[in-house]
Amino acid sequence: MNIDVSTMAPSHIYHLMTQTIVPRPVAWVLTDAGDANYNLAPFSYFTAVSSNPPLLMLSVGKKPNGDIKDTTRNVMATGRLVIHIAPAELGEQVTATSATLDHRVSEVETNQIELAEFQGFELPRVAACPVAFGCTLFEIKEIGNTPQSLIFSEIEQIYLDENMIDRNSERLKIDALKLDPISRLGGSEYARLGDVFTVKRPD
């Protein structure tokens, strides 16, 4: 089957892309709406884009009414965010925080999500997540017809759960199966890691 995307509605293109560009890592993003009123939302249009400087990128759409999402609004106001890699066991909570709520209604409080101090960073982190990146805003680019907000964030601090660190390696190595990251597929589907295999790269 060959598909000419110029004949498709954007919603249909989105549906097809999210089923074929899989699996996608999920960024579970905490921001502050002010006065420690924390917003928490998942995004699967997410990736690492640079290591010098260390940059992560989120692609954030708009609310159904066309307003910018709270994550974008809060990052623009404060310049701070915490990006978590959530384990598969938190799939229900991650999905629950994708609900559209009024601005300044906290997903953290609504879903009773426990936070912990993020040593060396001014925002807290989700206590149950094995990885958290304390980030500052690097740049926001608006693209497309909607438009979509590309949020580039520079990593300042990283939290790692000690239980997933391989101590037998010469340099810091994370056991991916112990991390057990939730992965996004299409529709309401998610996945977790199965077999992990090694292929030596050419010199």
Side-chain angles (χ1 to χ4, degrees):
M1 177 184 289
N2 292 318
I3 299 175
D4 180 354
V5 296
S6 68
T7 65
M8 299 176 68
S11 60
H12 292 171
I13 295 173
Y14 170 84
H15 184 63
L16 186 57
M17 287 177 64
T18 55
Q19 292 181 92
T20 53
I21 304 171
V22 293
R24 299 186 306 284
V26 178
W28 205 16
V29 184
L30 181 140
T31 57
D32 189 357
D35 301 322
N37 181 12
Y38 299 117
N39 176 270
L40 187 63
F43 301 94
S44 68
Y45 277 20
F46 159 64
T47 192
V49 293
S50 171
S51 53
N52 186 21
L55 297 179
L56 303 175
M57 188 277 292
L58 308 169
S59 181
V60 183
K62 300 293 188 288
K63 290 185 176 182
N65 66 1
D67 290 345
I68 63 172
K69 289 192 174 180
D70 295 343
T71 296
T72 305
R73 182 193 304 271
N74 296 343
V75 169
M76 291 173 66
T78 69
R80 298 285 186 274
L81 65 164
V82 178
I83 299 176
H84 303 83
I85 304 299
E89 66 182 23
L90 296 184
E92 294 282 346
Q93 286 182 296
V94 170
T95 304
T97 60
S98 67
T100 300
L101 303 177
D102 291 336
H103 183 55
R104 296 186 63 82
V105 175
S106 172
E107 291 83 0
V108 172
E109 293 184 5
T110 300
N111 296 284
Q112 300 181 324
I113 295 170
E114 182 182 356
L115 301 181
E117 180 183 0
F118 194 162
Q119 186 175 349
F121 199 70
E122 61 191 73
L123 296 180
R125 57 179 176 81
V126 175
C129 285
V131 178
F133 301 98
C135 301
T136 57
L137 176 62
F138 184 81
E139 185 178 10
I140 296 180
K141 285 187 174 293
E142 298 288 310
I143 64 165
N145 298 323
T146 307
Q148 198 90 354
S149 300
L150 301 186
I151 302 176
F152 294 88
S153 305
E154 184 168 355
I155 302 169
E156 287 193 349
Q157 196 78 17
I158 303 175
Y159 165 80
L160 300 175
D161 187 325
E162 295 279 348
N163 293 323
M164 65 179 187
I165 298 174
D166 183 352
R167 297 295 182 182
N168 297 318
S169 179
E170 292 181 1
R171 60 180 179 177
L172 189 62
K173 184 177 185 303
I174 305 301
D175 186 323
L177 291 177
K178 289 182 179 178
L179 170 57
D180 192 26
I182 186 172
S183 301
R184 191 76 168 92
L185 305 178
S188 299
E189 295 180 331
Y190 294 86
R192 63 198 317 165
L193 295 182
D195 294 334
V196 176
F197 61 93
T198 301
V199 178
K200 190 177 186 304
R201 297 179 63 179
D203 295 331

